[in-house]
Amino acid sequence: MAVVSEPVRAPVIIDLSAPQLRARLREALAIYVAAMDYPRGTEHHRAPMWAEHMSRPGWRAVGAVLTSPGVSADLEAAPLVAITYGYRGAPHQWWHQQVHSGMRRAGWSEADAQQTLSNYFELTELHVHPAAQGNGLGEQLARRLLEPRTERIALLSTPEVAGENNRAWRLYRRLGFADVVRGFTFAGDNRPFAILGADLPLAAGSEPAG
Ligand SMILES: CC(C)(COP(=O)(O)OP(=O)(O)OC[C@H]1O[C@@H](n2cnc3c(N)ncnc32)[C@H](O)[C@@H]1OP(=O)(O)O)[C@@H](O)C(=O)NCCC(=O)NCCS
């Protein structure tokens, strides 16, 4: 029998309470900066925003930590490799107002925009450390985050990418996210984004081939 001297570390998905994420905020923001390839220092601007989001109604977070198989895992101490969170959308929120005006500019009627935005969960952040990407972890995290939600739909924004050719786009399409607004620009940011939405609960997934 082969003896493995270095145990392979397997990610374990865990719910994160607000105090648990607060205690891991630097670690979580480091994953965000590495995953998005943002310049160092971005995490300092983002920290107060992520902390404020934790107090919003319906906030929920899920992470993935690395543990060693066969070793009784101390999940609190295990290193984080992926993070996702979101909260219930509400009309006073900046993101909600931006999306509402984007929908109107894109031709949505006021009634349809209001109906869509009346009961949704905003999937705010989803990031897997580059070293852990490409193994289905992002999908597991998104499903775990959205699984208990009672809102009618989930909404998110993601940067536009030529041909929708990146992991985020493939993941969102696989999960059933459809176009709400394309080529949308948030106030103060020139980059085009897509606003995507999926009915909740998400449709069940299929096992990856291979
Ligand atoms: C987008 C992101 C969260 C996706 O997470 P991920 O773990 O890399 O991706 P997925 O869960 O979709 O899985 C990736 C691949 O593994 C494959 N896969 C799924 N389950 C698998 C399994 N059990 N074993 C092996 N591979 C598997 C998928 O088919 C997928 O292939 P594809 O990307 O070629 O389509 C992650 O890549 C990331 O953080 N990217 C940078 C930041 C970012 O773009 N965030 C979103 C901004 S809105």
Side-chain angles (χ1 to χ4, degrees):
M1 194 212 284
V3 176
V4 180
S5 52
E6 280 287 318
V8 179
R9 298 171 110 198
V12 174
I13 313 261
I14 56 170
D15 292 340
L16 289 166
S17 66
Q20 284 170 328
L21 182 56
R22 210 169 282 121
R24 286 181 176 269
L25 198 52
R26 283 179 62 167
E27 209 184 349
L29 284 161
I31 292 167
Y32 159 76
V33 169
M36 297 299 284
D37 200 19
Y38 282 154
R40 277 170 72 187
T42 309
E43 62 273 25
H44 302 307
H45 306 293
R46 285 289 166 153
M49 194 182 290
W50 284 36
E52 187 272 318
H53 287 168
M54 291 179 206
S55 65
R56 296 191 174 187
W59 180 90
R60 171 171 166 76
V62 171
V65 292
L66 281 186
T67 64
S68 303
V71 177
S72 148
D74 176 1
L75 297 180
E76 294 274 333
L80 198 65
V81 286
I83 177 71
T84 184
Y85 77 79
Y87 45 79
R88 190 177 164 82
H92 64 273
Q93 294 163 0
W94 180 84
W95 195 87
H96 179 114
Q97 291 163 4
Q98 290 285 305
V99 171
H100 176 261
S101 63
M103 289 171 82
R104 296 290 282 127
R105 281 200 305 275
W108 285 68
S109 72
E110 181 58 27
D112 286 349
Q114 281 203 22
Q115 162 69 12
T116 297
L117 295 174
S118 64
N119 185 6
Y120 73 96
F121 179 79
E122 181 192 326
L123 201 174
T124 313
E125 305 287 354
L126 172 62
H127 308 288
V128 175
H129 191 278
Q133 289 175 13
N135 296 304
L137 204 47
E139 178 164 351
Q140 288 179 57
L141 250 71
R143 288 190 178 281
R144 170 88 163 247
L145 182 74
L146 297 175
E147 190 271 327
R149 300 310 308 182
T150 56
E151 290 84 1
R152 199 171 53 79
I153 57 170
L155 292 176
L156 61 84
S157 54
T158 194
E160 291 280 5
V161 170
E164 302 184 359
N165 188 17
N166 72 3
R167 285 224 161 98
W169 273 95
R170 285 194 292 274
L171 171 59
Y172 297 143
R173 292 307 197 197
R174 208 159 60 235
L175 292 173
F177 279 84
D179 294 350
V180 176
V181 181
R182 296 298 300 265
F184 171 77
T185 48
F186 288 97
D189 190 343
N190 289 332
R191 294 172 303 161
F193 280 79
I195 310 296
L196 304 177
D199 290 339
L200 296 178
L202 295 177
S206 52
E207 288 296 311

